[in-house]
Every structure is written in structure tokens, then in C-alpha cells.
Amino acid sequence: QMAVLFCLSCFINTSNAGQILRPASNIYKIGIGDILKITAWKEPDLTIDSARVRSDGKITFPLLDDIQAEGLSTMDLKKAVEKKLKVYVEAPNVTVTLVNPLSRKFYILGEILRTGEYPLTKTLTVMQAFALAGGFTEWADKNKILLYRRGNNKEETIIIRYKDIINGDFSKDIQLQPDDTIIVP
């Protein structure tokens, strides 16, 4: 038992514990429609309480005009703003906060009680999406549910069998991604 505890402690590094749980692929990328708050420390004139990312992927910032925001993480945008502000401020210290992630949505259509567009503000699965949409109508075919997914220059259709999930096969309860469309025939 001592050897097992020792080996486990070899792999735990408290300074990197958060990094172990969050792979780089899970870093949030700013999207069109997102609302950001950008604060410049000790520079109230260079603070924006609500900046919406426009359809061209940019925001407008005092003194700097348009800055690309879409596709960047909040840390990347912070660094870009700080770099450009160095012309005007000796040692700029900027904080970028994602206030409202409006760019992340999924859609659910068909034999569901409340069809439509839903925000993807947290990690959701297909089952949770059904709950948000009020559940199925009495005519829903729960064995032929389709999930359409676009991303990385490819389109994918995934068949969801609701009965498999409720019978304990949770591997079929797929995590949703932005712009997923669920169709319940």
C-alpha cells in the first residue's frame, strides 16, 4: 500500500494540477456574438464593460480601433491589447472576461416539445438537451434521432438511440459541440 501511495504522489504536481484536468483543446475560443468585458488596470478610460464581437470577428477598443477577437482565447486577446496599448500606456495590465458566450449554441428540431436554438453555456450532453427542450412528443421515434455536426472542414451525422442511453450505455450520451443540430423524427 505504501508503494502505491508513493507512485501516485510522483504523478501529482500541485502547481500543474489544473493543467492536468484541462487539455489545451478545451480552451474557450472567442466567437462572433460573444460579450466581453475588458478592463485596463488604473486606466478607466480604457475599460469596456460590454464589447460584442461583431460579425467580422472584431471589437472596437479606445485608441486602438478594431482588434481581432474571434478565434482567440481571452488570454490571447489580453496579450494583443496589452501589446498595442504599450504605445499609450507605460505598463498596461489588461483583463479580458467572457461575460456572455453567445456564440456557442445548439439546435434541436422535430418531435420535441420546445424546438429551437439553445445556448451552450456549459458542457451538455444529448440527454440534457432533451431535458432543456421539454422532452419528446408522443410521436417521436427515439431510435432514429440524428445529430448533425460540422467542424474541422467535415460534416458528420451521428445516430442517437435514446433507449440505449436509458438502458445504461452512457457512452452514447454524446457531449454537444457548438452548432450541433439534433433532429428527432
Side-chain angles (χ1 to χ4, degrees):
Q1 196 174 30
M2 293 286 275
V4 172
L5 290 174
F6 175 76
C7 289
L8 286 175
S9 68
C10 294
F11 293 105
I12 297 173
N13 180 345
T14 56
S15 65
N16 291 352
Q19 292 174 352
I20 293 169
L21 298 175
R22 283 182 274 155
S25 63
N26 277 347
I27 293 174
Y28 185 87
K29 299 293 185 183
I30 297 167
I32 293 170
D34 285 347
I35 308 288
L36 306 171
K37 178 178 182 178
I38 303 174
T39 307
W41 187 61
K42 291 189 176 184
E43 299 291 341
D45 293 338
L46 300 176
T47 293
I48 303 173
D49 288 329
S50 181
R52 181 182 298 270
V53 180
R54 300 187 314 248
S55 61
D56 64 358
K58 296 179 180 181
I59 59 168
T60 301
F61 194 84
L63 296 177
L64 306 180
D65 297 324
D66 291 346
I67 298 175
Q68 181 66 35
E70 180 188 20
L72 301 178
S73 69
T74 54
M75 288 303 292
D76 292 338
L77 183 57
K78 165 195 169 63
K79 291 173 187 172
V81 171
E82 285 177 345
K83 182 178 178 181
K84 291 182 178 201
L85 277 178
K86 284 183 182 178
V87 174
Y88 305 100
V89 179
E90 187 175 325
N93 187 348
V94 173
T95 302
V96 177
T97 306
L98 178 66
V99 176
N100 199 343
L102 295 176
S103 67
R104 296 175 48 95
K105 298 177 183 189
F106 73 93
Y107 307 87
I108 190 163
L109 308 165
E111 296 297 328
I112 202 87
L113 289 178
R114 291 188 302 271
T115 64
E117 174 184 87
Y118 289 87
L120 194 56
T121 56
K122 64 177 192 157
T123 302
L124 286 177
T125 65
V126 171
M127 291 291 283
Q128 292 166 328
F130 298 146
L132 278 174
F136 302 105
T137 67
E138 62 185 281
W139 302 282
D141 186 345
K142 298 175 189 169
N143 285 319
K144 295 181 182 174
I145 300 166
L146 300 176
L147 172 66
Y148 291 114
R149 176 168 288 165
R150 292 184 186 140
N152 299 329
N153 296 324
K154 67 178 184 175
E155 294 182 7
E156 184 178 10
T157 302
I158 302 167
I159 297 172
I160 308 291
R161 291 179 43 90
Y162 177 77
K163 290 180 184 177
D164 289 348
I165 300 169
I166 61 171
N167 286 332
D169 188 356
F170 297 113
S171 67
K172 306 246 172 117
D173 191 13
I174 297 170
Q175 183 176 328
L176 294 177
Q177 295 179 8
D179 297 321
D180 277 355
T181 300
I182 302 169
I183 298 177
V184 180

